[in-house]
Amino acid sequence: MRRSKTAYGKSIELFLANGTADSLIIAELSNWNGKAIKIPRIEVPTCNRDDFAQAGVYFLFCKEDDGSDSVYIGEAENTKDRLVQHIRDYQSEKEKYYWNTAVVFIGRDLNKALIRYLENRFVEIARGCHRYTVLTKNTYRNTVMKESQTAAMEEFIDNVKILINALGYKVLEPLLHSDTTDSTSVDDVLLYINKGNAVATGRVTSEGFVVLQGANINEKMSTKSLGASVVKLREKYLSDGKVENLTTTEDILFSSSSAAADFILGYSVSGPKTWTDKSGRSLKEIEDTI
C-alpha cells in the first residue's frame, strides 16, 4: 500500500544461533543498537546468553483452541528470569495461557522506567490493531520521562514494529494504514456493497480484503451455499463482539473479496463482481484496468 511519506530501505540481519530456523534467532536492524531475540519456550531455561538476561520487553505468542492468536506483552529487568517465572507459573496453574514462542527486545541503557513505558505503548498498539487477543491486564500508564527519552522510545517502538513483523508476527501492524495517498492502485480504492440491509465498505490489502468497521450484515444466512469457514466466522464474530446488532465493531480482515462479500451478504457470491467503487465499477473491472 502506498504511504504519504517517503519509505527508505532497511537492512535486517538474522542470525540462526543454533543453525536452524526453528531455534534461537537473533534479529538486528541496521543503524540501531537494539536487537530481537526469538526463542522457543523449550529453550528458555537453558539459554545462557548474556543479552537474554538484560532489561527489555517481551511478547509471548499463544495459539488458542479455536485457532485464534493471543499474546502476552510484558517487561522485565532480567528477561530470562521473567520468562522462566512465566513457565513456573503455568506449571503451578497460576497462569492459564500457554505460549510456544517468545520474542524479546533489548537495547542499550534500557531501565525500569523505559521498559514500563514500552510495555504500555506496545499493549496499546496491539489492542488497537485487533489482530491478537492481548492477555496483558495491567500496565504502568503514568511513567514520568524526559521529552528526549520519550522521543528515543518512540523510535525504539518503530524499529520493533519492523523487526517483529519481519519475524512473522503482525501483532503491531494495523489492518489498514491511515497515511495512504490518492492513487489509482486497487489497494487505495474504497469498495462498497449495498444490497437490502447489507451495507459495507471495504478495501483490498496485501493480505486479503478488509471490511471496515460499521458494516451492516444480513441477518439471514444460507448455510447451503456458504463455505463452512464463512459460517464459522459469522458464528464466532457474533459471539465474541466483533459483530453487535448485525454491525461490525472493528475492521475485519478476510482472505479474499469473495469471503468478505459472503460474510456480509450471508450467501455465496463473486467478490470481484459484487464489490464496486463509488462510480459503480466492480473490483474485477478495476483490476482489469491496472
Side-chain angles (χ1 to χ4, degrees):
M1 182 173 290
R2 295 178 63 178
R3 311 287 178 85
S4 59
K5 59 183 180 180
T6 302
Y8 297 97
K10 300 284 186 179
S11 176
I12 297 175
E13 179 179 312
L14 297 181
F15 175 61
L16 309 183
N18 296 317
T20 61
D22 59 355
S23 184
L24 182 71
I25 297 177
I26 308 300
E28 296 182 86
L29 193 62
S30 58
N31 300 317
W32 184 46
N33 61 34
K35 70 171 68 172
I37 302 172
K38 179 182 177 182
I39 184 169
R41 178 192 185 97
I42 59 174
E43 294 183 18
V44 168
T46 57
C47 181
N48 294 317
R49 295 177 58 95
D50 291 339
D51 51 8
F52 190 37
Q54 292 181 10
V57 289
Y58 59 88
F59 297 73
L60 307 180
F61 291 100
C62 317
K63 183 68 72 173
E64 303 298 333
D65 292 338
D66 62 1
S68 62
D69 296 309
S70 58
V71 61
Y72 182 94
I73 302 171
E75 51 82 12
E77 292 180 278
N78 183 315
T79 55
K80 177 186 175 178
D81 286 352
R82 185 68 184 98
L83 265 58
V84 169
Q85 188 60 53
H86 275 292
I87 294 173
R88 290 173 178 165
D89 286 346
Y90 179 81
Q91 292 170 341
S92 62
E93 300 185 350
K94 292 180 181 179
E95 289 181 354
K96 301 301 181 184
Y97 55 89
Y98 183 90
W99 52 276
N100 289 300
T101 304
V103 180
V104 175
F105 290 91
I106 59 173
R108 187 184 304 163
D109 300 326
L110 287 181
N111 57 37
K112 192 63 175 178
L114 299 181
I115 59 179
R116 283 179 172 178
Y117 176 85
L118 291 171
E119 177 196 44
N120 181 63
R121 287 285 286 120
F122 285 134
V123 168
E124 288 178 344
I125 295 168
R127 285 175 176 161
C129 290
H130 302 295
R131 290 181 181 268
Y132 287 68
T133 298
V134 179
L135 303 173
T136 309
K137 300 300 182 184
N138 301 305
T139 62
Y140 292 88
R141 301 189 179 189
N142 299 311
T143 304
V144 178
M145 300 202 306
K146 297 178 181 178
E147 184 178 358
S148 59
Q149 291 177 314
T150 301
M153 289 304 96
E154 288 300 316
E155 183 179 7
F156 190 100
I157 289 167
D158 286 342
N159 289 328
V160 167
K161 287 179 178 179
I162 294 171
L163 279 182
I164 203 165
N165 198 353
L167 289 170
Y169 300 98
K170 293 182 177 290
V171 60
L172 304 177
E173 185 78 5
L175 294 178
L176 292 172
H177 291 276
S178 59
D179 55 346
T180 56
T181 58
D182 292 335
S183 169
T184 56
S185 175
V186 68
D187 62 359
D188 291 318
V189 178
L190 286 178
L191 299 162
Y192 307 92
I193 282 179
N194 193 338
K195 294 180 180 291
N197 294 325
V199 180
T201 304
R203 176 180 281 163
V204 176
T205 75
S206 60
E207 298 177 80
F209 193 95
V210 172
V211 172
L212 304 188
Q213 177 183 346
N216 296 323
I217 71 172
N218 270 336
E219 181 176 10
K220 293 183 179 180
M221 180 173 59
S222 173
T223 55
K224 290 183 179 180
S225 69
L226 284 180
S229 60
V230 177
V231 174
K232 288 182 179 178
L233 274 181
R234 267 185 157 242
E235 294 172 347
K236 180 178 184 298
Y237 292 159
L238 282 165
S239 64
D240 68 10
K242 288 188 177 182
V243 177
E244 294 181 356
N245 299 319
L246 301 179
T247 301
T248 59
T249 60
E250 61 186 61
D251 297 345
I252 301 177
L253 174 65
F254 293 88
S255 60
S256 67
S257 62
S258 291
D262 290 356
F263 180 86
I264 295 298
L265 295 172
Y267 53 86
S268 183
V269 294
S270 166
K273 294 180 180 179
T274 303
W275 290 98
T276 60
D277 66 9
K278 60 184 179 182
S279 65
R281 290 187 306 160
S282 70
L283 173 57
K284 183 180 186 303
E285 292 173 315
I286 297 170
E287 291 178 327
D288 286 344
T289 63
I290 295 176

